[in-house]
Amino acid sequence: MAADTSSAITLENDTKFNRVMLKISGEALMGDQGFGLHPPTVERIAREVKTVHDLGVEICMVIGGGNVFRGLSGAAQGMERTTADYMGMLATVMNALAMQSALESIGVFTRVISAIRMDEVCEPYIRRRAVRHLEKKRVCIFAAGTGNPYFTTDTAATLRANEMACEAIFMGKNGVDGIYDKDPATNADAVRYEDITYDEVLAKHLKVMDASAIALARDNNLPLIVFPLDEPGGFKGILAGRGTYTTVHS
């Protein structure tokens, strides 16, 4: 466990980051409902994104679909895995559209970009076009995962972050302020890491991202910052090195 690296993150204009990826789970949009979308929660997260967007930071987003349908659990219940994964991808499009609506209602121009073509609903993924949207300060929400079954939205977020030349992935978690050596919800003696390497995450079997996403981030020297999404002002604060979080690096 290394010393606190927060001082390395602070720079002029409160952040050294010009372009970042925000990865959140579909469950983060449920609020207290236990299923589906909770509009006040979606609106709260949109306001958090706006506070960072207002700094001039270019923002990519990937949102999971577990609040609507999770492909892996569908497959575990006997559904054919490929079909279940495609259903999960469609769930991420629904969440992306909800977030787009919330962001644009507060004045943030947004594009939903899908890895599966559905031209009447959102744009297809074309890398150079997506980069241009970011340069025009539009929030880009990448939906439908990678467009392929057997890959999680964690992998999709890491892939798009690399393709968009993001400087870091920010993973917002509900009720957790970083990465612990064991589940803090059930272990009072759980210890939070300030700083940890991707190799250590893999070796210690810490449930941060799936192994494919971790390997992709590690091999491209892309840092991951895990922080509490449900803390008001948390996203903006974390970019400036304030608050509690864990940094994962190569």
Side-chain angles (χ1 to χ4, degrees), residues 181-200:
D181 62 345
K182 61 187 77 171
D183 187 353
T186 56
N187 297 275
D189 61 341
V191 176
R192 183 178 60 82
Y193 295 98
E194 298 281 350
D195 182 272
I196 191 170
T197 68
Y198 282 112
D199 284 337
E200 289 176 307

Side-chain angles (χ1 to χ4, degrees), residues 209-221:
M209 303 172 99
D210 66 85
S212 297
I214 289 172
L216 186 58
R218 178 195 61 194
D219 294 347
N220 289 279
N221 296 314

